[in-house]
Amino acid sequence: MARSVAGDEDDIVIAGMAVEAPGGVDDVDDFWSALAESRELIGPFPRDREWPLREMFGLGRVEGWASVADAGGFLTGATEFDPRFFGITPREAVAMDPQQRVALRVAWRALEHAGINPTTVEHSEVGCFMGASFTEYGPRVGEVNEHSGYRAVGTALGAVAGRISHCLGLMGPSVTVDTACASSLTAVHQAAAAIRSGECDWALAGGVCVMGSPGAFYEFAKSHALADDGHLRAYSASATGTVWGEGAGVVVLESESRARALGHRIYARLLASRINHNGKGAPIAVPSAHAQEALVRRTIDAAGIDPRLVGLVEGHGTGTPVGDPLELTALCNTYGADARRGPRLGSVKTNVGHAQAAAGMLGLIKVVLCGASGHIVPSLYGNEPSPAVDWSATGLRLATELEPWEAPDGVRYAAVSSFGVAGTNAHAILAMPVLEDTDA
């Protein structure tokens, strides 16, 4: 089924976005510059979080454990917040999970990016769907301390979306989604469904990850799945594991008819999104190429496009020796099935690390910025492709340089994947109209 370049008034579109990423990146222009310039934003562990760094860096000397490199994708502004701007007392702000703080300010910026004054949306039927996962920030709730009385909301995952809705006065559905690393794409999927069903007029959707503890590094050091040198080399022959990171991203979603009526810029159309699970079989944390391939095929069918039109696939790409080969197999069987032509493949994780619940959103915003500029950015460390698949038999190619992105039918098509450690998989297909190209 062919889709028109003009789109459909019932399409869900992205009308604005905002991002925070490692390396001091706090807006989409900075993010685009970092991606286009092939900058790696991974750096040493922060020294102001009271983490047991000496113990962490010594784990490699403990039997059964792997070493932890002094590297991660950390938000430099994670401890910065102006509570009074958002009507929050300083005492309550200290008790809030930093994920609530970061998500709140990124949501505000997303509205501004869409040309919407955040102070004018109170009492509106606007949804808020945010991906977020576990945190170990602050003292335990079950003890007496100076933050008691604020910790119930301060530690609740539901308050990540709830804070945004409360601050802005949004009265549509407000949901925090936790499907682990698939959380933010799942949030986009649910937000789009809520708009289509009439639950809300439009919505904010995104994800956030600020690590309240170094727990993720301990877990993957024990399972020998961390990069031994602190570099995340997705889909590369030299990949040794993942590197954990932080980040946040929010997009403004609405129907195309609403966007056009209000004069909002249409950055991209969400042609289709789908969610599934790996099912039973391997251990819960082990990905499934079969489930991923089935998900991609269902999403392509729902989008109603020829998969050969997809010019860019933003993969999950964690750099792990188990996950990447399985994902490559699924992608080669779908988007790479025609050996004569296929999309470029990359992962923003090579730049910023694996931002967990926010990872899919950072990848989605990367894709939208590529579409807006008409260029595909390189995926770092892609010059030595993984030997897990026969690259000569597939149309899939790793993106290794900044290159023009052609749009033969007037639209640039892209796909984004995100897979959770608990078995949930998410996939989305986007279309970016060339006719509305401007600087990102």
Side-chain angles (χ1 to χ4, degrees):
M1 167 177 133
R3 297 184 62 98
S4 73
V5 173
D8 185 286
E9 66 175 13
D10 292 327
D11 280 339
I12 303 300
V13 302
I14 294 173
M17 55 195 156
V19 66
E20 283 194 21
V25 170
D26 61 6
D27 62 42
V28 293
D29 291 333
D30 288 345
F31 192 44
W32 172 252
S33 296
L35 297 175
E37 295 166 8
S38 301
R39 297 210 311 266
E40 187 177 46
L41 303 177
I42 291 170
F45 276 73
R47 264 53 180 178
D48 61 353
R49 300 192 187 184
E50 300 181 356
W51 288 357
L53 299 182
R54 183 185 298 274
E55 177 184 83
M56 290 174 59
F57 298 148
L59 287 176
R61 297 190 293 271
V62 179
E63 184 178 356
W65 291 71
S67 61
V68 176
D70 187 8
F74 299 102
L75 291 181
T76 56
T79 60
E80 300 170 4
F81 186 63
D82 182 358
R84 297 200 184 278
F85 179 84
F86 295 104
I88 299 169
T89 66
R91 183 181 177 190
E92 183 173 8
V94 172
M96 289 167 54
D97 182 342
Q99 295 184 135
Q100 296 181 29
R101 304 181 219 154
V102 173
L104 185 52
R105 67 175 177 235
V106 175
W108 187 281
R109 292 172 185 160
L111 290 172
E112 292 181 325
H113 189 260
I116 300 170
N117 183 341
T119 66
T120 65
V121 297
E122 187 174 355
H123 304 307
S124 301
E125 293 294 328
V126 180
C128 182
F129 296 80
M130 291 294 297
S133 289
F134 71 93
T135 181
E136 295 179 316
Y137 171 74
R140 294 176 57 214
V141 178
E143 65 182 29
V144 176
N145 59 67
E146 61 183 307
H147 306 299
S148 296
Y150 293 105
R151 297 294 287 154
V153 176
T155 61
L157 277 181
V160 174
R163 285 283 182 188
I164 297 170
S165 297
H166 179 263
C167 175
L168 296 173
L170 310 181
M171 300 187 71
S174 186
V175 180
T176 301
V177 178
D178 183 5
T179 53
C181 308
S183 295
S184 56
L185 276 195
T186 304
V188 169
H189 176 73
Q190 292 189 344
I195 296 170
R196 292 190 185 101
S197 69
E199 287 186 77
C200 52
D201 296 331
W202 53 284
L204 294 168
V208 61
C209 173
V210 181
M211 288 179 276
S213 85
F217 290 92
Y218 278 84
E219 283 292 292
F220 268 49
K222 181 61 176 175
S223 56
H224 294 253
L226 288 175
D228 54 22
D229 61 355
H231 299 289
L232 198 157
R233 297 177 167 87
Y235 314 120
S236 171
S238 57
T240 59
T242 203
V243 177
W244 294 119
E246 301 175 330
V250 175
V251 294
V252 176
L253 297 178
E254 60 187 349
S255 67
E256 180 151 348
S257 58
R258 185 179 193 279
R260 293 195 178 279
L262 296 176
H264 294 164
R265 176 172 176 192
I266 295 173
Y267 285 90
R269 300 183 182 101
L270 179 64
L271 299 188
S273 59
R274 290 292 182 269
I275 312 294
N276 78 352
H277 193 272
N278 292 332
K280 192 176 181 179
I284 190 170
V286 176
S288 166
H290 172 74
Q292 291 174 20
E293 181 176 338
L295 177 67
V296 170
R297 292 189 185 281
R298 283 201 290 272
T299 312
I300 291 171
D301 289 344
I305 64 168
D306 184 332
R308 292 176 297 179
L309 290 174
V310 173
L312 173 62
V313 173
E314 172 65 14
H316 189 56
T318 59
T320 55
V322 174
D324 280 12
L326 293 172
E327 183 183 3
L328 284 171
T329 297
L331 292 176
C332 286
N333 290 341
T334 51
Y335 295 113
D338 186 342
R340 296 167 298 176
R341 57 184 295 186
R344 292 291 185 263
L345 169 66
S347 173
V348 73
K349 295 179 183 67
T350 62
N351 302 93
V352 301
H354 187 348
Q356 303 166 69
M361 180 52 60
L362 295 183
L364 184 146
I365 291 176
K366 166 191 167 180
V367 162
V368 173
L369 294 177
C370 285
S373 82
H375 289 80
I376 293 174
V377 296
S379 190
L380 308 186
Y381 306 109
N383 291 317
E384 297 180 61
S386 167
V389 295
D390 181 2
W391 294 93
S392 66
T394 177
L396 211 60
R397 294 290 182 271
L398 291 182
T400 58
E401 61 184 357
L402 184 67
E403 58 181 302
W405 186 0
E406 301 300 328
D409 65 349
V411 178
R412 297 185 179 101
Y413 296 93
V416 186
S417 288
S418 198
F419 310 134
V421 72
T424 299
N425 306 306
H427 191 69
I429 295 177
L430 305 176
M432 286 140 291
V434 173
L435 294 176
E436 300 187 30
D437 280 356
T438 62
D439 291 338

